[in-house]
Amino acid sequence: MPTVLRMPEVAANATDAVLADWLVAENAEFSATDAIATVETEKAVVDVEAEDAGIVIKTLVAPGSQVEVGAPIAVLGAVGETVDDLDAVLAALGVAVATAPVLPERRDVPEQATPVVEEVAAAPTRRLFASPLARKIAKDAGLPIDDLPGTGPRGRILRRDVERALAARTEPVPAPVAETRAVLAPTHDAPASEIPHTRLRRAIASRLTESKQTAPHFYVRATVRADALVALRAEVNDGDVKVSVNDLVVKAVAAAHRAVPEMNVVWTPDAVRTFDTVDVAVAVATDRGLVTPVLRDVTSLPVSEVAARVRDLAARARDGRLKQDELEGGTISVTNLGMYGVEEFAAIINPPHAAILAVGAVRDEPVVEDGAVVPGKRMTVTLSVDHRPVDGVVAARWLAALTDLWEPRVRFVGCGRGLLHRPTDEAPGASAT
Amino acid sequence: MPEHHPLEPASPWVEVVATEADWDAADPHLLRTIYAQLVWIRTFEQYVLELAAGGLIHGPAHSSIGQEGGAVGSVLALTSDDSVNGSHRGHHQFLAKALHHVEPKGLDPLEAPSEQVREVLLKTLAEICGLDRGWSHGRGGSMHLQWKEAGAMGTNAIVGGGVPQAAGFAWSHRHSGGDAVSVTYFGDGAVNIGSTLETMNLAGAWSLPVCFFIENNRYAVSTSVDEATAEPRLSARGLGFNIASWKVDGMDPLAVHLAMTEAVEHMRRGRGPTVVEVDTYRFFHQNGGFAGSAFGYRDKDEERAWRERDPLTQTAAHLQRRGIMTADETAAAVAAAKAVMEEIGRELVEPLPGGKPGQRQIRPGEWPDPDWVDVGVRGDLSEFDAARVVDPTGFAVPVQETKFIDAVAAVMGRRMETDPGIVVMGEDVHRLNGGTNGATRGLPDRFPGRILGTPISENAFAGLAGGIALDGRCTPVVEFMYADFMWVAADQLFNQIGKARHMYGGESGVPLVLRSKVAMGTGYGSQHSMDPAGVFATNPGWRIVAPSTPYDYVGLMNAALTCQDPVVVLEHVDLYGSSGPGPIDDLDYVLPVGKAAIRRPGNDVTVLTYLGMVPFVLEAVEEFGQVDAEVIDLRWLDRASIDWELIEQSITRTNQVLIAEQGAVGTSYGGWLADEIHRRFFDLLDAPVRRVTGAEASPSISKVLERAAIAQKDEVIAELAEIARY
C-alpha cells in the first residue's frame, strides 16, 4: 500500500520549509537511508532520508515550493509497486489533488467562528494570492491582508477586497506604515538604498524579536582577571595548535555548566528541560548575517578540538554550508565582540536557550594584587538570562563558577600542553565546586 | 532536325591587360599616387595585424593585404562625388576612397602625410579598435567603416548585403542630375548570393550607374571559387543581366585603373551598370596574420606565386624602371609610413602597466562611454521642430466621411507635389490604376519616373531604397504587396536599414517609409496573411505606425515622411475599403510621434489595440455591454514611440489591461508590450495583462479556418466576458 511522505519538521518549530529538490525521480527506486529530497530551511539544507527501501510513485510538490510542515510532498510505495489509479490512491490517503498542498484554500468563504486557532496562526506562512495593486493599497493603509477573503480568480485578493475591508474597518488599527514613516520623515530625503530582506535576515529578525518579547531577560556582569587565560593561550599557540581566547571561554562555559547544572536548561511550555551533556552555541558573523552553530558535549573535548571545531563551523557558516542539525540544540551561546575593542555589551538570548554570554575585550589595566597596584589583564563578561527557567541567584552562582575557573589560574583545561590534545573528560566542574 | 542559331550576350565582355607600353605611358604623378596609396594601406593593415596579434582588436581583423591593387587602381578613377561601399574586407577600399577624398590631387610617397591623411589613418585605426575617436565612435569597427562625406557609404558584414544599397546611391546620383557613379565592392563569395544577383538585374533594368566590382580572391574563407560555382569567370555574371563586363588583373594597379576608367566612362555616359572583375589574392587567411596555407585549404607554392606579383613590388619596380623613384626612395617611403603608423598607434595604445615588455593596452580614455549603448538607435526627432505638428486629440482640420484608400493616394500625391525627392517603388505600383489596391492611383502620370514598378525582388528594391535613404537626398517609399514578403527582404530591413543609423555612429538618418499591407482575411492563405508589427517592434531602429482611420493615415504618413528614421506604415486591407473621418482639403498636418488616441473612454479595463482590430474592439465593447472598457488606439507601436503617458493614465484608473490584436500568437505584437507593462506598472495592476491574439497557425485559405486563425470581435467579447466574471 502506498504511503504519504510529509514535509518533515527539519528545524525546531518551523511552520514551513522549501522543498529544494527531488533527489529520486518519480518511478525511481531507492534504498533505506537514501536521500529522497533536499529541504531548505531558513539556515540550512537538509536531506530527507528514506526509512526503508521503496519507490517514488508520485511527487506532489515542485522543487522550489514552500510547503507547510506536515503537508504531503510525495507518494511512496514498496519496491516494484505500481499504481494504476493514482487519483484513487491519493484520495484514499486523504490527499486532495496533486497540486493542492502548495495552493491556498479559497478565501471567499465568509469568516467562520471556528475554534481552530492554531491553523489560523499558521496561515501567514502560506502563499497568499493578491494582486499587486491590492497589496500596495493594503500596505499603504497598514491593513494586513492575510485574512482577507479574495474574490478574484483562484481566490486572489483584488483591489475591491481590500477596499471593502478598509471600508469595514471600525476597530482601532495598528499605526499604519505611513504614520511610522511620517515620524521618520526627516531622513526620507536623504540619499539611501535598500537591500531586500534575505531569508536569513528575516529569520534573525523574527527569532530575536520573539526572544526579546517572550523571554524575560535579566543580566549579570563580572569583570575578571584574564592574565592566566591570555598566558595559557600564548603557551598553547607556541606550538602548532591555534586557540583563541574565545575557544577558552567556550570551554570554560561548558565547565561552568557542569558546575551549575541548573543553568544547563531550556524553557518549554510545560517543563524546564535539563540536559546531561553541555552543548554550547557560538555566534558567527557572516556576510549574510548572524548564525549560531552548536558545539556538542563540549566538556568532553580538549581545547584544541574545541578550537578546531569552532574554526570548521565558522568557515562553513560563512560559506552557507552548515547542516540544519548543527544549528539546533544547546542551552547557552557565547558571543564575543572583544576583537573589535568592545569592552562590554549585553546580548539577546538565542531561543530556545536560557542564556547568552557576551564577552568583551581583554584589556591592560592596573589591578590591585596583595595590596599593590600592578599591571594586569581584565575582561568583562555579561550573561543574559531567561528568567523563566533560571533565577538570579543561579545565574550569580554560575558567573562565580565561571570566573573561578580562570582566576587566578586556569583550571578547566588542566595545565600542560599534553592535556590540550588528549580527548578526556576532565570533569572540571568537580574542581570548580 | 531543328535548326540551331547561335545567340550572343547583348553586352560586351572584355579582359583588359596593361602592357609595358601602358606603364611607360602612364602619368608619373598617377604612378606616385598609386604607390603612395598602396604603401599607406599596406602599412596600416600590417599595423592592425600587429595590434590584433597583441589582443588589442576585439573581433576579426580581415586584412586585405595583397588585394590593394584593385582598390587603389579603381578608386583613383573616381571623384569624391562618387560613392563606394564594400564588404567585411574593406579596409583597403575605405582607406583608398578616404585618402583620395582628402588628397584629390594625389599623394606623394616621399612627402610627410598631411594632417588630413593622419586623421584618416587615426580615425580608421580607432574605429577598427572600437574606440570613441573612430568614424562611428567604435560601434562599427573593422567591418562597418563609413565616412559619407568622402563618399565611403559604409562597409558591410553581411555578404552581399551592401550591394542593393549601392544601386540606391546610383539611383540618387542619377535622380539628382549629376554624372556621379556608385561602386560596390564585394568578393567571389558574394557573387552567388541573391541580393547581389537581384541587384544586378534591377540595376540593369533601371540602367543605374553602379559598378559591381568583384574582387575575386579565389576563396570564400576556405571554399574555393571552383567549388562554389560552375562559372568561376565571375564577370560572366554581368552578361545574364545585359551588363557590360570587364575582367582585369587585380595585382596590376595600372591595369585596374585603365579598366575602371573605361567602366566609369560607360556609367557617366548613362549607359547603365558595369561589372569589373579583378583577379586578386589575400596573402593571409580570412582574418588574422597567418597565411591561408596554415589552415590547409591552399598550399605555399600557390601563395608564393601570388606574392611574387605583389602590387607594391610590381609598382615599385615600374617606378624604378622608369626612373621616377630610386630603390632607396621606394624603400624609404615604406619605412616612413611605418614610423607614422607607430606614432599614430601610440595615441590609442600604451604600454600595459605592470605588463611584460612590448605588452600594450588600449588607453582607457579612448573607449566609448558604455552609457552610450542605446543612443542613436533612432533619431532625436528634431526634424519635427519645423513640421506642422497638430494636437493628437480630436481633429485638427475639418473632416468629412472619406474612403480610406482615397486618403492613401491623396496624401502621397500631396507629399510628392511638395517634395521632389520622394520616390515610390513596389510591385505593380505603376500599373493597375494605382497598384493592386489603388494606393498609388493617379500618381504615375503626375510624377513620371517617381512611381517605380519593380521586378519581383523585395530584397533588392528594399535595399535600393535603403541606399537612397542612407544617401539622404531623397526619401524612398517602398510598398510591400503583402507583409509576409518582409522575410524575403529581411536582411535589408533588419540587418541593414534598421541598424544602419546606430551601427554607423547614430548621427545620420535613414529616412525610409515602408508601406506594408496586412492582408489577413482576404483568403490569400498562410504566406500572405501576417501582421508584421511584432517582428518590427522587436528589431531595433524602426518606428511603426498603424493608422485605423483616414484622418490618422494622412497625419501619420506625413509624420513618417518627416521622420529621419525608417518607419513602417501598416495598412490593413480591411480598412482600405472602409470609410471614416478624413481631411476635406488639408493634407499637410502631421500627427505627433508617440501619441495614441482614446477611441472610447471607460473605467473597467484599458484595451490597447491598433490598425484593423480597432473597429472590432469597439464593436465588441458595445455589443457585450457589461464591461466599461477604455479603448486606446496605439497609433505608434514601436518601443521608442509608444504613448506610455496615456497608457499609464488609463491604467491608473482601470487597473486592468487587455492587449488585442488579430495576428498569430507566435510573432504577435503584444508580448513585449505586456512584459513592459508588468514591469512599469506592476503596482497599478489588479490582474495580469490579458491578451487577444490569433491562433498559432498562419491563416489558411479555407474561409472557416482562416476565420478561426484570426482574432476579431468574438475573441474580444470572450475576453471581456472573462473580465466580467470577476
Side-chain angles (χ1 to χ4, degrees), chain A residues 156-205:
Chain A
R156 187 186 305 144
I157 298 168
L158 301 180
R159 174 179 64 166
R160 64 162 167 263
D161 302 320
V162 175
E163 287 172 348
R164 210 173 278 160
L166 287 174
R169 187 160 72 169
T170 50
E171 291 172 76
V173 294
V177 176
E179 281 182 31
T180 313
R181 282 187 183 156
V183 174
L184 299 172
T187 65
H188 265 200
D189 294 335
S193 61
E194 294 194 346
I195 301 167
H197 298 320
T198 60
R199 283 175 69 80
L200 179 58
R201 180 50 47 199
R202 286 187 194 281
I204 292 166

Side-chain angles (χ1 to χ4, degrees), chain A residues 131-134 136 151-153 156 158-160, chain B residues 653-655 682-688 690 726:
Chain A
S131 80
L133 178 66
K136 185 171 190 302
T151 61
R156 187 186 305 144
L158 301 180
R159 174 179 64 166
R160 64 162 167 263
Chain B
R653 271 184 292 108
T654 64
N655 308 124
F682 190 66
D683 284 331
L684 296 179
L685 293 173
D686 205 23
R690 291 176 178 275
Y726 295 103

